[in-house]
Amino acid sequence: MFGRGDEKSEQAALLGMPKTSIKFQVMSDTKSKTSGTEAAALQTLAVANHCVLFVDLLGQRVALRGQGLVPDFKNDEQRRQFESDLRASIGAIVKLQEAAADFLLGYERRGEHSLLRAQLSAEDQQRWDALGAHPEVKQQRWSDGLVYFASLGSDTPPNKMISVTRMLMLAGFLCLYGLARKHPVRGGLEVAWAAELHSNEIYGAAVARAYELESEVAGYPRIVVGTELLRFIDLNGGVSSAELESEQAKVLATLCADMLLEDADGQVFVHFLGTAFANVVGVESHTQLAFRAKTFVDEQAERFRNSRSDTKLAFRYHHLANYFSHWEQGAFKAE
């Protein structure tokens, strides 16, 4: 896809974005703890492209409806009811956070990003391992939303693709896990600039774009992928180079592309029932989760169809049920 000319030009074309982060200074007001006087200070922020996943736990408005002050329990039944309400709200988001942490830890142990490692020489394996040692997926929490992000400010294409691969895998897992646990989520995944204002506190266009995809586009339990991230995956998948770093990035880009599917509305979403994703999670574990999720989806589709109370949700769950029916019938095995 790209010529073998200037290496820097080739890398810039491959990444489709600046190679490094940009240092940006802002003036902030600080108050002395001893004198109480105001003083101006410069704060240096690193602005870089980030891959951001915004996830919303659905149904929490209903779970919290009618809630107010901590009750003055008159009997054990009232206490049990309140504890049940807590499990449906606080418990659901805590379980989701724990599941995400466990999945990322399992990813590290399995090392899915080292798909070609066994074919390399001992020297190249050391280089390969060094490339994969740096990327980190961070988490920002608020209310019933979760934000996961990874900086793409590294100079090397593989590190960027390792981060993107992790984010795609995590997005698909959270969507499938949420359905299996009867606590569905929807989300948006995109690449744009952002800055980490404080530890695990990200702000910028990447967050805004991921939130827009979640709140305005996703519509039902799925993770919609933005155009810049699709372009980034496509560019890395099309590079032609004998360099180990470029080859690793290309392999990961191909894996990412295999975990995507175009929906009926033209939006691309994380294909969590596809063969590529199942192989990443582990076929046995994936099958167990998928059957549990399918049971929940079928129940919701039937409930909204019979109640006739929410036409929009009835159509959305019917569409989702068809997606699971295709999986059960083996439609995705040929991918």
Side-chain angles (χ1 to χ4, degrees), residues 145-159:
L146 296 175
V147 175
Y148 294 92
F149 61 96
S151 173
L152 304 184
S154 165
D155 285 338
T156 58
N159 274 344

Side-chain angles (χ1 to χ4, degrees), residues 126-200:
Q126 291 181 353
R127 291 173 56 205
W128 189 285
D129 293 340
L131 288 171
H134 304 296
E136 178 184 7
V137 173
K138 297 186 176 183
Q139 178 182 356
Q140 180 172 329
R141 305 179 177 97
W142 67 63
S143 190
D144 58 355
L146 296 175
V147 175
Y148 294 92
F149 61 96
S151 173
L152 304 184
S154 165
D155 285 338
T156 58
N159 274 344
K160 298 174 188 291
M161 279 310 310
I162 289 170
S163 296
V164 168
T165 305
R166 285 176 174 173
M167 296 290 286
L168 272 173
M169 291 175 177
L170 177 62
F173 170 75
L174 289 177
C175 202
L176 180 59
Y177 175 85
L179 291 170
R181 294 276 305 179
K182 300 184 179 182
H183 292 295
V185 304
R186 71 183 182 202
L189 185 62
E190 182 59 303
V191 168
W193 68 262
E196 194 170 353
L197 303 182
H198 306 284
S199 179
N200 290 358

Side-chain angles (χ1 to χ4, degrees), residues 170-294:
L170 177 62
F173 170 75
L174 289 177
C175 202
L176 180 59
Y177 175 85
L179 291 170
R181 294 276 305 179
K182 300 184 179 182
H183 292 295
V185 304
R186 71 183 182 202
L189 185 62
E190 182 59 303
V191 168
W193 68 262
E196 194 170 353
L197 303 182
H198 306 284
S199 179
N200 290 358
E201 183 182 333
I202 189 173
Y203 175 83
V207 181
R209 287 293 301 121
Y211 173 73
E212 287 173 6
L213 291 172
E214 179 276 318
S215 61
E216 300 176 16
V217 180
Y220 68 95
R222 61 175 178 172
I223 309 295
V224 176
V225 179
T227 55
E228 285 301 320
L229 180 53
L230 293 175
R231 176 176 173 269
F232 177 75
I233 293 172
D234 182 61
L235 287 172
N236 278 273
V239 69
S240 178
S241 174
E243 291 293 324
L244 175 65
E245 291 84 354
S246 297
E247 183 62 22
Q248 185 189 25
K250 183 175 182 179
V251 169
L252 292 172
T254 301
L255 173 61
C256 287
D258 289 342
M259 291 192 292
L260 301 175
L261 188 66
E262 185 175 328
D263 213 336
D265 60 356
Q267 298 294 331
V268 175
F269 70 102
V270 180
H271 185 22
F272 57 83
L273 292 181
T275 301
F277 184 78
N279 289 336
V280 165
V281 175
V283 175
E284 184 177 351
S285 297
H286 180 270
T287 301
Q288 292 174 357
L289 281 175
F291 272 118
R292 288 170 56 189
K294 183 180 185 303

Side-chain angles (χ1 to χ4, degrees), residues 277-316:
F277 184 78
N279 289 336
V280 165
V281 175
V283 175
E284 184 177 351
S285 297
H286 180 270
T287 301
Q288 292 174 357
L289 281 175
F291 272 118
R292 288 170 56 189
K294 183 180 185 303
T295 298
F296 171 72
V297 169
D298 288 343
E299 289 173 351
Q300 295 304 295
E302 182 74 12
R303 179 169 74 90
F304 286 114
R305 181 169 62 250
N306 292 337
S307 68
R308 301 182 181 180
S309 60
D310 195 322
T311 302
K312 184 183 294 185
L313 279 178
F315 275 111
R316 287 173 174 175

Side-chain angles (χ1 to χ4, degrees), residues 81-158:
Q81 180 57 53
F82 186 61
E83 290 175 349
S84 176
D85 294 338
L86 293 179
R87 283 192 292 272
S89 53
I90 296 176
I93 193 69
V94 169
K95 286 289 186 183
L96 192 66
Q97 292 171 350
E98 291 175 347
D102 289 344
F103 182 81
L104 289 172
L105 180 61
Y107 175 95
E108 292 295 337
R109 290 173 177 171
R110 294 190 301 270
E112 274 89 356
H113 62 273
S114 299
L115 298 174
L116 297 180
R117 188 180 186 280
Q119 305 175 29
L120 303 175
S121 66
E123 181 180 356
D124 282 344
Q125 283 184 359
Q126 291 181 353
R127 291 173 56 205
W128 189 285
D129 293 340
L131 288 171
H134 304 296
E136 178 184 7
V137 173
K138 297 186 176 183
Q139 178 182 356
Q140 180 172 329
R141 305 179 177 97
W142 67 63
S143 190
D144 58 355
L146 296 175
V147 175
Y148 294 92
F149 61 96
S151 173
L152 304 184
S154 165
D155 285 338
T156 58

